[in-house]
Amino acid sequence: MSDTQYVLAIDQGTTSTRAMIFDAHANIVAVGQKEHEQIFPKAGWVEHDAAEIWTNTRDVVGQALGRASLQNKDIAAVGITNQRETAVVWDRRTGEPVYHAIVWQDTRTQKICDELAALGGGADRYKDRVGLPLATYFSGPKIRWILDNVEGAREKAEAGHLAFGNTDSWLLWNMTGGPDGGVHVTDVTNASRTMLMNLDTLSWNEEIAGEMGIPVSMLPEIRSSSEVYGTGRERGLLAGVPIAGILGDQQAATFGQACFEVGHAKNTYGTGNFMLINTGTSPVPSKNGLLTTVCYKIGDKDAVYALEGSIAVTGSLVQWLRDNLGIISSAPEIEKLAASVEDNGGAYFVPAFSGLFAPYWRSDARGALVGLTRYVNKGHIARAALEATAFQTREVLDAMNADSGVDLTELKVDGGMIANEALMQFQADILGVDVVRPKIAETTALGAAYAAGIAVGYWSGEQDVIDNWAEDKRWTPQLDPAERDRQYRLWKKAVTKTFDWVDDDVV
């Protein structure tokens, strides 16, 4: 490949869509970014307008190309990374979504999950086959909800007219032509988040789809994370460019962090937090509330698996303090506000807004701010909100150590919140291990770029990823172990106060 060519990654996230252009040394050449609306029709419901996301994707690709003064002929390949589990159902004939995208945080499918659990096996009914518990988090029950609640949707689906995808499939289908020859494909990492894919064969499980009432004809073809799926549509900005990489956002970050050996782990600090540890070419079942998932698959090579600890609310708690309470006017202000006090003043904030994910999987939980006295001020609340991210990460790390049988000695971190140095220091303090930030923090987009670039020979393979990775900063624990244990004990106590909140008449 010529040095004058570049790779473009589309990072379709929970709050925004970005296009990032990278050179061969993984340097960022240009970025385009646009937020999309967060739609909350009812308590517990979270939606996105999939048509808006597609429009924004075209806009940000144009922004990035324009800022770099590049054209389609300068782009060697395109990679896609995306918010996983966010379900889009659309009509193949018109390209129109039949309903808003139902976002991974949405909890409306709890009754569907309960009905399926009641068939036998409880929340673990499908876990030995798909690696996931029955939970509102995953795509499958969301598809079922749309078919049950959108007029005419089930009839259209059974006639073969409807398609489903996480946002990776939605973008790929549109980018390759939409109703005019669009490619309906997903990769193994996204498929492993639907609750519909067999982990061992990497194929759709027709029995589970049948129990959920989902026609298999709706589902995209499952392919590897790094291969040419199709090329940009003729009239698009990326006409003729190979679209050659897809990774769910957390797997993309793991790839971008060069976690290629068994036992390598990373933690992404975004809307939620997601820690993954590479477990090699065999899936490892979890006994401690983690998810078994596909980490990546490069072309014809064996799939690599991971254990994942998913936390629903971390960065979005900062957004909530900004947008719902007005305690801060911009997200970065929280660091200064939290630094205005010496400690949390005895306050602990458990942000179970979508229930609790790993390691509890308690959909009946709701958020709680506990330990309040007249002494507590908004600085203490800001600090407790930041500390919640670190405490939840500690719970996931403990589960990961127990499942893997290997104690992690350091944690690679990425995502927007790692710019908050006070949080990173507290994270190291509460974990008792070093926290390491890479020079290129945008590892999610970079991972998708690598997958696409490897598929077309722009990069030769994983070794190029390893060679490009470099450490930026390291935080070492400074907290007295007795104080660490005391604070963690109180956090665990606070978590118990969120349980059993949701009754039949409470959402």
Side-chain angles (χ1 to χ4, degrees):
M1 283 288 169
S2 163
D3 287 343
T4 58
Q5 281 204 299
Y6 304 88
V7 173
L8 185 145
I10 294 168
D11 180 357
Q12 201 300 290
T14 306
T15 58
S16 71
T17 304
R18 289 187 301 177
M20 303 187 76
I21 298 172
F22 295 93
D23 68 15
H25 302 290
N27 298 309
I28 298 169
V29 176
V31 181
Q33 181 166 2
K34 198 166 184 180
E35 291 193 0
H36 54 263
E37 184 185 2
Q38 306 296 310
I39 303 164
F40 306 106
K42 297 182 183 179
W45 291 30
V46 189
E47 298 176 358
H48 293 155
D49 180 345
E52 180 192 9
I53 286 173
W54 168 227
T55 297
N56 288 1
T57 301
R58 284 174 284 172
D59 287 350
V60 298
V61 168
Q63 287 174 12
L65 289 171
R67 286 166 185 167
S69 298
L70 298 175
Q71 298 175 324
N72 58 338
K73 63 183 175 58
D74 301 309
I75 305 299
V78 177
I80 298 172
T81 182
N82 61 295
Q83 52 168 331
R84 308 165 304 171
E85 305 96 14
T86 293
V88 186
V89 174
W90 68 94
D91 192 312
R92 299 175 190 275
R93 300 166 298 176
T94 64
E96 296 295 322
V98 300
Y99 189 80
H100 280 155
I102 302 181
V103 178
W104 57 272
Q105 301 151 307
D106 190 286
T107 59
R108 78 184 71 184
T109 56
Q110 188 57 52
K111 283 196 170 78
I112 294 170
C113 292
D114 292 344
E115 287 169 14
L116 292 166
L119 296 174
D124 289 343
R125 177 169 178 77
Y126 306 130
K127 196 170 183 185
D128 61 335
R129 288 172 280 176
V130 303
L132 312 172
L134 269 164
T136 60
Y137 181 23
F138 306 110
S139 311
K142 296 177 171 65
I143 307 170
R144 161 79 175 272
W145 188 94
I146 290 172
L147 295 183
D148 286 351
N149 289 277
V150 175
E151 189 176 348
R154 182 164 294 285
E155 293 76 13
K156 288 178 185 174
E158 288 171 354
H161 297 320
L162 297 190
F164 151 76
N166 292 342
T167 57
D168 64 305
S169 294
W170 168 243
L171 291 186
L172 177 67
W173 187 79
N174 279 295
M175 291 173 70
T176 53
D180 185 21
V183 176
H184 189 209
V185 160
T186 191
D187 89 303
V188 288
T189 67
N190 275 285
S192 75
R193 313 300 292 194
T194 60
M195 222 191 298
L196 297 167
M197 187 189 81
N198 295 308
L199 275 180
D200 53 353
T201 62
L202 308 180
S203 59
W204 297 122
N205 186 304
E206 296 193 16
E207 181 185 350
I208 296 174
E211 283 191 4
M212 288 196 195
I214 298 168
V216 177
S217 63
M218 294 179 69
L219 305 179
E221 181 186 351
I222 301 172
R223 304 267 281 272
S224 80
S225 310
S226 178
E227 62 177 272
V228 176
Y229 313 109
T231 57
R233 63 199 173 97
E234 193 176 318
R235 300 186 67 170
L237 288 170
L238 296 167
V241 180
I243 303 169
I246 299 175
L247 286 160
D249 51 10
Q250 305 314 320
Q251 287 92 338
T254 309
F255 201 85
Q257 286 271 38
C259 295
F260 299 132
E261 292 184 27
V262 174
H264 281 189
K266 69 88 207 179
N267 197 29
T268 297
Y269 295 72
T271 303
N273 263 37
F274 304 88
M275 190 187 301
L276 274 77
I277 184 169
N278 183 324
T279 61
T281 53
S282 298
V284 174
S286 173
K287 298 182 177 65
N288 294 280
L290 302 180
L291 309 175
T292 304
T293 196
V294 181
C295 194
Y296 60 88
K297 185 180 189 306
I298 302 302
D300 294 333
K301 294 183 184 177
D302 289 342
V304 173
Y305 295 85
L307 283 167
E308 175 176 332
S310 308
I311 302 167
V313 177
T314 54
S316 55
L317 178 56
V318 177
Q319 290 178 319
W320 183 81
L321 290 175
R322 179 193 69 192
D323 299 340
N324 292 45
L325 297 192
I327 286 178
I328 52 175
S329 58
S330 68
E333 285 178 30
I334 195 165
E335 187 168 9
K336 185 177 178 183
L337 184 56
S340 70
V341 292
E342 290 185 5
D343 54 35
N344 63 19
Y348 290 81
F349 201 153
V350 187
F353 296 164
S354 300
L356 288 168
F357 284 13
Y360 299 99
W361 297 105
R362 293 289 296 256
S363 59
D364 61 350
R366 285 297 178 268
L369 180 57
V370 301
L372 296 180
T373 62
R374 290 280 305 267
Y375 171 69
V376 172
N377 62 34
K378 64 182 181 180
H380 297 116
I381 292 172
R383 192 176 184 104
L386 287 179
E387 289 182 354
T389 293
F391 284 126
Q392 291 180 100
T393 298
R394 164 73 187 270
E395 292 191 288
V396 167
L397 185 77
D398 287 353
M400 211 159 260
N401 286 342
D403 270 341
S404 67
V406 180
D407 287 351
L408 290 181
T409 55
E410 65 177 34
L411 184 64
K412 288 180 174 180
V413 298
D414 54 68
M417 293 180 83
I418 67 170
N420 188 323
E421 304 219 345
L423 172 60
M424 291 299 99
Q425 182 58 58
F426 186 74
Q427 185 69 88
D429 288 342
I430 216 69
L431 293 180
V433 300
D434 284 6
V435 168
V436 184
R437 180 171 72 192
K439 282 196 171 170
I440 298 177
E442 301 295 348
T443 54
T444 302
L446 182 56
Y450 278 135
I454 288 170
V456 300
Y458 183 82
W459 287 294
S460 58
E462 288 96 315
Q463 190 58 50
D464 283 347
V465 184
I466 294 166
D467 292 345
N468 282 338
W469 191 93
E471 181 177 315
D472 175 51
K473 186 160 183 178
R474 178 179 293 261
W475 289 269
T476 299
Q478 296 175 355
L479 195 64
D480 177 75
E483 176 61 13
R484 175 191 306 140
D485 293 345
R486 184 189 76 85
Q487 291 197 35
Y488 190 49
R489 183 190 84 237
L490 289 170
W491 164 262
K492 298 282 274 188
K493 187 176 180 180
V495 171
T496 66
K497 307 303 179 188
T498 71
F499 296 162
D500 298 315
W501 183 258
V502 177
D503 298 325
D504 285 341
D505 58 351
V506 176
V507 290

